[in-house]
Amino acid sequence: MTEAVTEAVTVGTTEARADVLVVGGGLGGVAAALAVCRTGRTAVLSEPTAWLGGQATSQAVPPDEHPWIEQFGCTASYRRWREGVRDYYRRHYPLTAAARADRHLNPGAGRVSRLCHEPRVALAVIEAMLAPHRASGRLTVLLGHAPVAAHTDGDTVRAVELRESASGESVTVAADYVLDATEGGDLLPLTGAEYVTGAESRETYGEPSAPAVADPANMQGVTVCFALEHRDGEDHVTDPPADYAFWRDYRPDFWPGPLLDWTAPEPDTLRPLRRTFDPNPDEPDGPLPAGRDTERGDKPLWLFRRILSRSRHLPGAFDSDVTLVNWPMNDYWLGNVVDVGAEEAARHTEAARQLSLSLLHWMRTEAPRGDGGTGFPGLRLRPDITGTRDGLAMAPYIREARRIRAVTTVTENDVSLAVRGEHGATPYTDSVGIGSYRIDLHPSTGGDGYIDVGSLPFRIPLGALLPVRMRNLLPAAKNIGTTHITTGCYRLHPVEWNVGEAAGALAAHCLLHGLRPHQVHGAPALLEDFQDALLRQGFELKWPEVKGY
């Protein structure tokens, strides 16, 4: 057993030690740390931004989830987080009596999710879940720290150097297990682990939606999200962003017209779809219905990712709804921010920010209105919601990371509704969790448009969490053994949480029993023992009888 961390690591300390080091504090990293610490083991959790929570907080993306999430299809701890968000609103917000009594309260009444909420609320619940472990000394959290180097010995990672961005000072953390929960799989090149990026060829795995020729640089676009409200009668127009002229005139080859326009492709059919934009619509009887059986949920843009709804609160409590802008118009695909040099990543991140600011300026000044006029000058950014000065999200939403070369690689042929039909997704016997979502790939840096394919509720195989060579390095986010195609359904909030929690649970289980992850996977009796432990911790390892979508 390793030496326990007996006091919090402070800036300026050069060395630290824990049973498990979790690098990256997104949803996968948070879940991994929880899984480690609840067994009594020690963990260090690092995060480059100021907020834990990744997709749900610093990237400001309300949860994308499957239709059965209120009944089943996630781990018990993910469900506790979801219910914690609802309880936070019930305790602290002036909800209407009907909203407060709603068992499935959706604070924003948004259509993308049954739980649209503000990033700060997600953060508050995450902090509360981690608080007992931090107080006990089992968990040390290093915010503002990113990995810059790794110390390896053959197939084993001995330690990782983490640098604080504000001071430039570093701490080197040694651990028995190292979990990569970064947004881009940043530990993989630092440790020398085998990994892939971008699109595999159709020949590699026989995936129907894969391109004929592999392209490692072809990755899904990123998005810099922002929170927006509307103040009728006010004018919040500012000078145009530096790159506004470029983005106003930009016409992608696979787009029906200008990128900055209400018309964009329908992801599953690629037909042009004209979205609507109506800030603060009247909803006397509650939010409009959502679902594929009516109109597309993303057609009314204001309602799609709304994270605060006036109709859910007492009259006069809020002057405006708040909606989250993560739309087709601000997806950025002109370059990668993953697996490129720091300067190139920074350049494309800034370009993605310019796109989002340009979309906002276009909406304020030139966007067509339903009454025949143009512009919505009352649109106002909400930097208090994103935790930034400029009102843009703290970090870009990264959909696709480096992926380990894994013992098991999940392909389109394992999950596609068209390929497998009534047979269901591949029934992996080494399941460490479950998930479901359409294979949803956004336009990519290689010039591809949407790839949107029906898929089946799937299992998460343990083999996809095992690198082909490294012995104590585990992926804990979007960097597992998927392909470019299947990352489209394995990248969403509850799956990332499940992956991270499974990686943390596996590390703790191996420490307890003196095993290595590949041993657990390779021996049926050891695998069964681990899966039994997961079930006791609230994991779901297989689906009931449900259909794909």
Side-chain angles (χ1 to χ4, degrees):
M1 178 178 174
T2 61
E3 177 186 347
V5 174
T6 57
E7 59 183 9
V9 178
T10 57
V11 173
T13 302
T14 57
E15 294 182 355
R17 187 166 182 82
D19 293 323
V20 180
L21 168 62
V22 183
V23 182
L27 292 178
V30 167
L34 285 169
V36 170
C37 292
R38 68 184 175 220
T39 68
R41 296 286 172 171
T42 59
V44 169
L45 172 63
S46 69
E47 163 58 30
T49 74
W51 285 358
L52 297 173
Q55 293 189 60
T57 60
S58 60
Q59 297 169 34
V61 181
D64 287 292
E65 299 171 324
H66 56 73
W68 310 280
I69 191 66
E70 303 295 354
Q71 302 162 273
F72 42 75
C74 65
T75 71
S77 66
Y78 183 81
R79 192 167 302 284
R80 283 196 297 273
W81 173 69
R82 295 180 88 254
E83 291 308 312
V85 169
R86 287 175 168 143
D87 289 344
Y88 189 97
Y89 279 95
R90 292 188 183 106
R91 288 197 309 270
H92 301 296
Y93 278 62
L95 298 170
T96 64
R100 192 175 303 280
D102 185 355
R103 178 184 173 189
H104 300 308
L105 170 66
N106 188 347
R111 294 186 168 199
V112 73
S113 169
R114 288 161 171 79
L115 189 66
C116 290
H117 54 81
E118 299 157 76
R120 281 190 182 274
V121 175
L123 175 64
V125 177
I126 285 170
E127 292 284 3
M129 293 175 75
L130 294 174
H133 303 299
R134 298 177 79 169
S136 70
R138 287 187 297 271
L139 175 64
T140 297
V141 176
L142 300 175
L143 296 176
H145 284 71
V148 294
H151 305 279
T152 61
D153 180 6
D155 299 340
T156 301
V157 183
R158 297 300 184 191
V160 175
E161 181 184 347
L162 305 165
R163 183 169 298 158
E164 186 187 35
S165 57
S167 68
E169 297 181 358
S170 298
V171 54
T172 298
V173 182
D176 287 316
Y177 282 90
V178 176
L179 275 53
D180 184 350
T182 61
E183 297 299 325
D186 299 340
L187 282 187
L188 302 184
L190 292 179
T191 59
E194 291 80 4
Y195 70 91
V196 297
T197 62
E200 295 88 349
S201 70
R202 189 174 305 126
E203 181 183 5
T204 304
Y205 295 110
E207 295 179 299
S209 301
V213 179
D215 184 356
N218 187 17
M219 304 177 75
Q220 290 186 71
V222 303
T223 305
V224 175
C225 304
F226 54 94
L228 202 60
E229 68 177 11
H230 185 261
R231 300 279 181 158
D232 197 28
E234 297 183 9
D235 188 344
H236 294 282
V237 176
T238 61
D239 292 337
D243 294 350
Y244 182 64
F246 172 82
W247 290 114
R248 182 187 55 199
D249 297 335
Y250 178 56
R251 291 173 173 260
D253 293 338
F254 50 84
W255 219 253
L259 181 63
L260 301 189
D261 190 74
W262 296 137
T263 300
E266 193 174 43
D268 49 350
T269 68
L270 302 182
R271 294 192 298 259
L273 174 68
R274 189 164 185 82
R275 271 74 172 186
T276 60
F277 187 72
D278 180 18
N280 294 320
D282 292 330
E283 296 179 83
D285 299 317
L288 297 173
R292 290 179 177 269
D293 55 338
T294 55
E295 66 177 7
R296 287 188 60 95
D298 62 349
K299 184 177 180 180
L301 290 170
W302 186 268
L303 300 181
F304 185 43
R305 296 184 187 270
R306 184 172 56 182
I307 56 176
L308 190 147
S309 170
R310 294 171 303 154
S311 69
R312 286 290 196 255
H313 297 84
L314 296 175
F318 297 100
D319 295 327
S320 174
D321 298 342
V322 178
T323 196
L324 198 286
V325 179
N326 176 13
W327 300 340
M329 306 82 163
N330 65 324
D331 279 358
Y332 175 84
W333 53 73
L334 296 187
N336 284 321
V337 301
V338 172
D339 211 43
V340 295
E343 289 187 7
E344 185 174 355
R347 178 166 59 85
H348 287 299
T349 298
E350 177 56 30
R353 289 166 50 82
Q354 282 288 314
L355 170 55
S356 288
L357 291 171
S358 295
L359 172 60
L360 173 61
H361 189 76
W362 175 81
M363 287 193 291
R364 284 171 168 168
T365 60
E366 298 186 50
R369 298 197 308 261
D371 62 6
T374 56
F376 298 84
L379 293 174
R380 188 171 79 162
L381 288 166
R382 289 292 302 271
D384 56 313
I385 283 178
T386 56
T388 60
R389 290 184 177 181
D390 59 13
L392 300 181
M394 198 172 289
Y397 176 30
I398 297 176
R399 296 179 174 88
E400 187 171 344
R402 302 172 182 88
R403 306 182 298 278
I404 64 166
R405 288 199 178 275
V407 170
T408 301
T409 299
V410 180
T411 75
E412 183 179 3
N413 296 316
D414 292 312
V415 298
S416 168
L417 181 60
V419 172
R420 294 193 60 87
E422 63 183 20
H423 299 291
T426 297
Y428 289 110
T429 57
D430 62 338
S431 174
V432 294
I434 58 176
S436 182
Y437 205 75
R438 287 179 67 83
I439 296 175
D440 172 20
L441 278 80
H442 285 233
S444 65
T445 58
D448 295 334
Y450 289 99
I451 298 175
D452 191 285
V453 178
S455 67
L456 295 153
F458 53 78
R459 300 180 186 182
I460 303 168
L462 176 58
L465 274 65
L466 300 180
V468 290
R469 179 178 58 86
M470 303 299 288
R471 300 296 97 179
N472 72 331
L473 175 68
L474 298 172
K478 296 186 286 287
N479 50 352
I480 64 172
T482 57
T483 65
H484 172 68
I485 299 298
T486 54
T487 194
C489 60
Y490 272 74
R491 65 179 173 82
L492 289 310
H493 298 62
V495 178
E496 182 187 344
W497 184 291
N498 192 318
V499 166
E501 190 173 358
L506 178 60
H509 183 84
C510 288
L511 286 169
L512 176 63
H513 296 285
L515 299 168
R516 284 298 189 187
H518 292 75
Q519 291 177 290
V520 174
H521 183 257
L526 295 179
L527 175 60
E528 184 177 355
D529 286 345
F530 177 54
Q531 290 176 316
D532 286 345
L534 294 182
L535 290 171
R536 290 193 298 271
Q537 295 174 53
F539 284 70
E540 298 177 22
L541 305 186
K542 61 182 180 180
W543 282 93
E545 201 66 37
V546 292
K547 296 183 181 297
Y549 66 99

